[in-house]
C-alpha cells in the first residue's frame, strides 16, 4: 500500500522558514525550540525520514506565495504579478535542486515517472515522488504562460488561494472567475493541467467546474457538513467534483475536523476517528470510496499541535487506516483512500 499526500507546502517551508526537508521533522522541531517558528507555522511534521518511514511514496508539493496583504515581505509575499512569478520560479527551482541533489527524491511529470517511483518501493532504495502543484495561479503572469510552467513540470494548478487572484475569487475574498481566469482554464485543459478547486470561491467553483474540460480535484478540502464555512466543500460541490471522477483530499487539521476547535485547544480533542468521519461523509454523499484521499497540508500554517491525537508527523498518516476499519471499511477501500484513488487519477491525467 502506497500513501499519497496531495498537499504539502514543501518549498515554502524550506525557502521561507529555512527548514531542511531532508532532515527529520523531529530534528527540525528540536532545532526550532526557542525560535518564533513553532508559533508561526506549528511544530514541524514533514521530513524525508518521515516520508520514508511512513510509506509516503508520493506528495503533491506546492508552489505557493501569499499576496502581501496577508503577510510581511520576509514571508515571501507579493504585490505584483512579476513578484509572484519570481517567487514561483524560485520554488520551482528549489524542487529541481532537491531532486538533483537527493537520490531519495524524484519529480513526477509523467506516468512513467510515477511507475518508477512506485517500483522503487520494492527495492532497498525507495524514492519519494513529488508532483508540482501551483496553489494560487498569480505566478502565471498571463494565461498563455501556463505552457511554460507545464514544460517545467507543474501538473496541477489552483486558480486562487484564500485571498483570490487575478483569475478567480478565493474562499476568504469571494468573487467570480475573471476573463483571464476563463482563458487560463481553456489553456490548462489544452495542456492537460489538472485543476485544483481547493480555496476557490463558491461562485468561481461552479463556473470553473462547468467550463473546465480537464481533470478536476480538490487537493485539500473537507466536507462543509462537518465543519461549516466557505473553505470547505458543500455536498453539492462534492457531488459535482465526483461527477467528473475527481478526488478530494481530506485535511487532518483539527480546525477543519471539529467545529469550534481553535489553535491552543487540546490536540487530543480530535482523533483519527474524526478524519475517518470526514472521509466517510464524502463516501456517503457519493456512494463509493473511490473519490476521496488525503491532502494533509501539514506544515502549511499548522503543525503537530493542531493535528489529531495519533498524528505526530507525516509518518503517521497510515494510522487513519484502522480508524476507517472501525467504520467498516475493508482493506481495499482503505488502500484506495490512503493512496490508490490519487494514483488512479494521476495515471489517467498525467502524460505517458
Ligand atoms: Zn491551501
Amino acid at each position: 500500500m502506497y500513501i499519497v499526500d496531495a498537499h504539502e507546502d514543501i518549498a515554502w517551508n524550506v525557502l521561507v522558514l529555512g527548514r531542511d526537508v531532508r532532515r527529520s521533522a523531529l530534528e527540525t522541531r528540536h532545532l526550532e525550540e526557542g525560535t518564533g517558528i513553532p508559533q508561526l507555522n506549528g511544530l514541524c511534521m514533514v521530513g524525508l525520514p518521515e516520508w520514508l518511514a511512513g510509506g509516503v511514496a508520493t506528495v503533491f508539493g506546492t508552489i505557493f506565495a501569499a499576496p502581501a496583504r496577508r503577510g510581511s515581505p520576509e514571508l515571501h509575499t507579493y504585490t505584483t504579478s512579476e513578484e509572484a512569478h519570481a517567487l514561483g520560479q524560485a520554488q520551482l527551482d528549489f524542487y529541481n535542486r532537491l531532486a538533483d541533489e537527493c537520490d531519495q527524491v524524484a519529480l513526477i511529470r509523467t506516468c512513467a515517472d510515477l511507475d518508477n517511483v512506485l517500483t522503487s518501493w520494492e527495492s532497498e532504495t525507495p524514492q519519494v515522488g513529488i508532483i508540482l502543484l501551483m496553489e494560487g495561479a498569480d505566478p502565471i503572469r498571463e494565461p498563455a504562460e501556463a505552457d511554460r510552467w507545464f514544460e517545467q513540470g507543474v501538473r496541477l494548478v489552483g486558480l486562487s488561494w484564500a485571498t483570490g487572484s487575478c483569475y478567480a475569487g478565493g474562499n476568504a475574498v469571494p468573487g467570480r472567475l475573471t476573463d483571464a481566469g476563463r482563458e487560463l482554464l481553456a489553456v490548462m485543459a489544452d495542456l492537460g493541467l489538472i485543476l485544483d478547486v481547493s480555496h476557490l470561491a463558491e461562485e468561481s467553483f461552479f463556473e470553473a467546474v462547468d467550463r473546465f474540460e480537464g481533470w478536476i480535484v480538490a487537493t485539500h478540502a473537507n466536507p462543509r457538513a462537518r465543519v461549516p464555512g466557505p473553505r470547505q466543500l458543500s455536498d453539492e460541490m462534492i457531488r459535482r467534483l465526483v461527477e467528473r471522477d475527481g478526488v478530494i483530499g481530506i485535511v487532518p487539521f483539527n480546525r477543519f475536523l471539529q467545529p469550534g476547535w481553535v489553535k491552543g485547544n487540546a490536540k487530543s480533542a480530535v482523533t483519527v476517528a474524526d478524519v475517518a468521519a470526514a472521509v466517510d461523509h464524502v463516501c456517503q454523499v457519493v456512494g463509493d470510496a473511490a473519490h476521496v484521499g488525503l491532502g494533509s497540508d501539514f506544515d502549511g500554517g499548522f503543525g503537530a499541535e493542531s493535528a489529531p491525537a495519533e498524528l505526530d508527523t507525516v509518518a503517521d498518516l497510515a494510522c487513519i487506516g484502522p480508524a476507517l476499519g472501525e467504520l467498516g471499511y475493508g482493506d481495499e477501500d482503505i488502500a484506495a483512500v490512503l493512496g490508490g484513488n490519487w494514483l488512479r487519477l494521476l495515471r489517467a491525467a498525467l502524460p505517458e
Side-chain angles (χ1 to χ4, degrees), residues 7 9 62 64 135 160-162 171 196 198-199 219-220 231 256 297 300:
H7 203 95
D9 294 335
T62 67
F64 167 75
E135 180 173 26
S160 78
W161 182 59
N171 56 279
D196 180 3
S198 318
H199 288 293
T219 60
H220 61 313
R231 174 65 182 84
F256 285 9
D297 209 5

Side-chain angles (χ1 to χ4, degrees), residues 14-15 90 92-102 107:
V14 173
L15 297 182
L92 189 134
D93 292 346
F94 156 76
Y95 286 112
N96 281 312
R97 231 172 23 246
L98 177 66
D100 281 349
E101 290 171 2
C102 183
L107 295 187

Side-chain angles (χ1 to χ4, degrees), residues 270-295:
V270 182
T271 70
V272 286
D274 297 289
V275 182
V279 168
D280 184 54
H281 181 86
V282 174
C283 297
Q284 298 294 341
V285 167
V286 305
D288 63 48
H291 297 93
V292 61
L294 301 177

